[in-house]
Amino acid sequence: MKRILVLAVTLSILLTSFSVAFAQRVDVGIVLPTKDEPRWLQDVARFEDVIRETPYSVEVLFSQGSSAVERTNVETLIARGARVIIICAHDAAAAAIAVETAKAEGITVISYDRLITDTDALDYYVTFDSVSVGEAMGEYLAANAKGKGNPLYLYAGALTDNNAFLFFQGAWNVLQPLIADGTFVIKNSVQAQNYQDTLELTREQLAAIIGEVTTDWDFNVAKSKAEAHLTVAEEADKGEVFILAPNDGTARSIADVFAADVHVTNYYITGQDAEKASVQYIIDGQQSMTVFKDTRTLAADAMNMAIEILEGRQPQTDASYFNQVVDVPAKQTPVVIVTQDNVKSVLIDSGYYDASDFVGL
Ligand code: BGC
């Protein structure tokens, strides 16, 4: 029995190496965190557009929310001869090992959208200006607040995602002075209240707040947190409320919960990604804004950088990001606030989406 098992395992290892050896060689490997979130499907579609134009062979693999799958993906790409790997990590710190394995093989590694932390093996970072994403959310809430004592509910992304820190600090840059002067009153975070007089939060302070109000980038977590918050909130903590939601998926879940509460008379809620479902929510007045991150630019920047590297040219960068070990040279793209007022001009007239994808435009 044991012998048969050993034979079967050996055979499957042989078959795997055989198929890797005969699988098509790739020049550039792309690893994305999951197929299950609309944000990353936008990136795939935009990568497909740029891949069609390039003479190099490119392969896109998904990690499906698992650092183990992510590592296997990187190993597969290494085995297939990739010379550049573009990776958007599921877990910023856990991805360091995969990056180091690639680096040891002489492969250039580009972090895509999410910065990989805790390693010096990373070469470049292609990203949106994520602090400005958070600032745009904070500014939107600030612009709509009248008088003092406006109830503020804070939500954040996943602790394993460096972007969650950048988004929150960005929003805090705008909101903290307005919390300190009484314009906003935090209703759902003891940790944020603890630091309400501190503008520049340390990584530990941010982690304490994010840990308390995290959605984990998960719609269901967002929904149950919002429900729990509204269950304990007094009627006086409701009325017209202001909600910092970290992205579109979680914004829709949180918005649905607030909309269903009879004591919430009006709500302002943020988001980001310009997901189609949220664009429809904005048109219908169920989500107040989104931050549009043009994935056409990000995908093109990442591919162009990969091509420059393949052709022995030095990529141009315009920023740098500290990944807790080294400053990583970065190429950064600005973002645009979208509300009902400009949804058509920014997202339809620019050709990003078709008008026929929406009703009531
Ligand atoms: C991305 C966001 C996205 C979130 C959840 C972040 O790292 O920057 O665009 O909504 O992850 O996937």
Side-chain angles (χ1 to χ4, degrees), residues 275-354:
E275 286 180 7
K276 277 188 189 168
S278 278
V279 173
Q280 189 61 58
Y281 258 49
I282 290 173
I283 295 167
D284 296 340
Q286 292 170 276
Q287 183 177 324
S288 320
M289 62 88 84
T290 187
V291 181
F292 173 47
K293 312 200 310 192
D294 193 333
T295 53
R296 291 174 295 198
T297 312
L298 206 65
D301 279 353
M303 270 310 288
N304 287 337
M305 190 180 264
I307 291 168
E308 281 168 338
I309 294 160
L310 289 175
E311 296 179 353
R313 287 179 279 130
Q314 174 80 27
Q316 296 297 306
T317 56
D318 50 22
S320 83
Y321 278 75
F322 184 60
N323 80 342
Q324 309 308 312
V325 179
V326 284
D327 285 319
V328 183
K331 174 112 184 42
Q332 194 168 258
T333 295
V335 297
V336 182
I337 294 186
V338 172
T339 63
Q340 253 179 11
D341 296 340
N342 64 350
V343 65
K344 193 171 166 301
S345 62
V346 176
L347 296 174
I348 311 296
D349 300 348
S350 75
Y352 196 79
Y353 289 137
D354 285 340

Side-chain angles (χ1 to χ4, degrees), residues 33-34 37-40 43 88-89 112-115 125 127-128 130 133 157-158 161-164 167 216-218 246-250 272-273 275 291 293 295:
T34 178
E37 284 172 27
R39 159 68 214 268
W40 307 113
D43 296 71
C88 182
Y112 180 81
D113 192 282
R114 295 176 173 173
L115 183 63
Y125 181 31
T127 184
F128 293 103
S130 295
V133 171
D161 180 358
N162 189 62
N163 282 346
F167 299 147
D216 232 354
W217 293 133
D218 182 320
N247 76 348
D248 282 352
T250 57
Q272 67 166 306
D273 294 336
E275 286 180 7
V291 181
K293 312 200 310 192
T295 53

Side-chain angles (χ1 to χ4, degrees), residues 23 25 44 62 64 158 219-220 230 247 252 271 285 310 319 350 361:
R25 232 190 109 79
V44 179
F62 292 90
Q64 294 311 101
F219 307 176
N220 295 319
L230 288 185
N247 76 348
R252 294 193 302 277
L310 289 175
S350 75
L361 247 186

Side-chain angles (χ1 to χ4, degrees), residues 113-146:
D113 192 282
R114 295 176 173 173
L115 183 63
I116 294 170
T117 58
D118 303 276
T119 179
D120 63 0
L122 190 62
D123 296 286
Y124 296 103
Y125 181 31
V126 175
T127 184
F128 293 103
D129 181 345
S130 295
V131 172
S132 82
V133 171
E135 285 171 346
M137 293 174 175
E139 274 154 20
Y140 179 84
L141 296 178
N144 286 287
K146 291 169 250 15

Side-chain angles (χ1 to χ4, degrees), residues 4 85 144 149 159 189 214 232 280-281 291 322 351:
I4 298 179
I85 294 181
N144 286 287
L159 266 177
S189 170
T214 183
V232 295
Q280 189 61 58
Y281 258 49
V291 181
F322 184 60

